[in-house]
Amino acid sequence: MQTIHAVWEKANLGVNAYEIMLSEQDTPEMIAAEEARLREEGAEYIVLKTPVNCPQLLFGLGGLGYTYVETVFRVEIRRSDYHMPEGIARFDRGLSVVHRKEPAEWQPVFDLIRTGIFRSDRVSIDPAFSRELGGNRYANWLKTMLENGGFLYEVLSGEKAIGFFVITRKDENTVDPVLMAMYDEQNDRGMGALLHKKTLDTCFTHECKRLTSTIVSNNAKVLRVYVNAGATIADTLYTYVKHL
């Protein structure tokens, strides 16, 4: 069991949050004891991540009041394995990618994110939070990534920006397309797969041998695009939350 005080969530969500990574050796009794300790520390929100196929966790966490919210897939695409299906690639006409390098160019993206364009993540779907809080969390996270050397790109259809993505470097051989979204998915239907194509294409313009990323089950369409493009699933985790 590894516990992290997620101090950044105070600014994002307004709660004192902790994240706990569980192992196959952990038991509901151990989790209850750790929760009691965190309550004394003033914890208000706990996020648990567990390996799959652990009956004592799968069937025990509900009794402790934890709610399953999503499955996390960690994926990898090697440069030599990357191939975008022709059914997607042939529609990639008239789209361009612009690297937003200047801080003055970042603020409009932050503002759009804060309007609530993310709708399926564990914060946005949580009745105790809201889509706006989820947007605030993502905007703050993006700002931190860019200040630490991340790369922000927007995808344009003609002169209209339809979405964004951000790439970070994990090590000398690996990049990670950490975050991406359509600005107006309802009115730009059919463009989502092309946004992912542009994201993955751009990843491999960087000097790297592979990309890794994290995809959640609440957005299964993304996982399907990645697998069809040559991704393998390296790890799977379940995520549970509890409001104290």
Side-chain angles (χ1 to χ4, degrees):
M1 181 185 302
Q2 296 179 326
T3 301
I4 297 173
H5 189 190
V7 294
W8 56 89
E9 297 293 28
K10 189 68 174 179
N12 294 336
L13 304 175
V15 294
N16 189 21
Y18 288 80
E19 296 183 358
I20 304 176
M21 178 67 72
L22 300 176
S23 72
E24 296 177 354
Q25 288 70 46
D26 293 317
T27 65
E29 292 75 19
M30 295 167 64
I31 297 164
E34 178 68 352
E35 180 187 312
R37 184 185 74 82
L38 295 179
R39 283 180 180 271
E40 293 182 356
E41 297 289 331
E44 299 172 283
Y45 178 59
I46 296 177
V47 179
L48 299 181
K49 292 190 177 179
T50 81
V52 300
N53 298 326
C54 294
Q56 79 276 16
L57 301 177
L58 185 63
F59 292 95
L61 290 175
L64 295 178
Y66 287 87
T67 300
Y68 164 83
V69 290
E70 63 190 14
T71 298
V72 176
F73 300 96
R74 292 175 177 164
V75 301
E76 174 182 311
I77 305 179
R78 295 187 177 277
R79 179 184 288 274
S80 58
D81 294 333
Y82 176 54
H83 59 277
M84 186 57 61
E86 178 60 28
I88 295 175
R90 64 191 176 91
F91 288 106
D92 185 6
R93 303 189 188 98
L95 296 183
S96 58
V97 176
V98 180
H99 184 190
R100 302 301 190 191
K101 300 179 182 180
E102 302 300 325
E105 299 177 298
W106 302 347
Q107 190 61 49
V109 180
F110 300 154
D111 292 343
L112 281 165
I113 292 172
R114 287 194 169 96
T115 65
I117 61 174
F118 289 96
R119 302 181 180 184
S120 60
D121 61 282
R122 63 175 168 82
V123 170
S124 298
I125 65 174
D126 192 328
F129 296 132
S130 66
R131 191 186 300 174
E132 288 71 27
L133 274 179
N136 183 61
R137 179 173 178 265
Y138 276 117
N140 290 345
W141 182 24
L142 175 57
K143 183 174 185 291
T144 298
M145 286 191 286
L146 296 179
E147 290 173 344
N148 290 329
F151 304 89
L152 174 64
Y153 300 89
E154 283 192 295
V155 176
L156 279 64
S157 177
E159 297 184 357
K160 176 188 175 184
I162 64 169
F164 81 94
F165 59 90
V166 60
I167 296 172
T168 63
R169 180 164 288 281
K170 304 285 285 187
D171 57 44
E172 63 179 7
N173 293 318
T174 312
V175 297
D176 187 347
V178 185
L179 189 64
M180 68 189 77
M182 299 284 293
Y183 292 142
D184 187 359
E185 190 169 6
Q186 182 174 351
N187 291 318
D188 288 316
R189 290 189 181 279
M191 304 296 278
L194 294 178
L195 174 64
H196 296 303
K197 177 184 183 299
K198 290 299 191 185
T199 301
L200 298 178
D201 287 350
T202 305
C203 282
F204 289 115
T205 65
H206 291 256
E207 186 66 32
C208 66
K209 294 181 178 179
R210 62 181 172 267
L211 67 84
T212 60
S213 196
T214 299
I215 301 170
V216 298
S217 56
N218 296 349
N219 202 351
K221 292 183 295 185
V222 179
L223 181 62
R224 186 161 56 249
V225 171
Y226 272 60
V227 170
N228 287 338
T232 57
I233 298 175
D235 193 17
T236 307
L237 301 171
Y238 293 146
T239 304
Y240 299 78
V241 301
K242 184 175 182 179
H243 295 273
L244 304 179

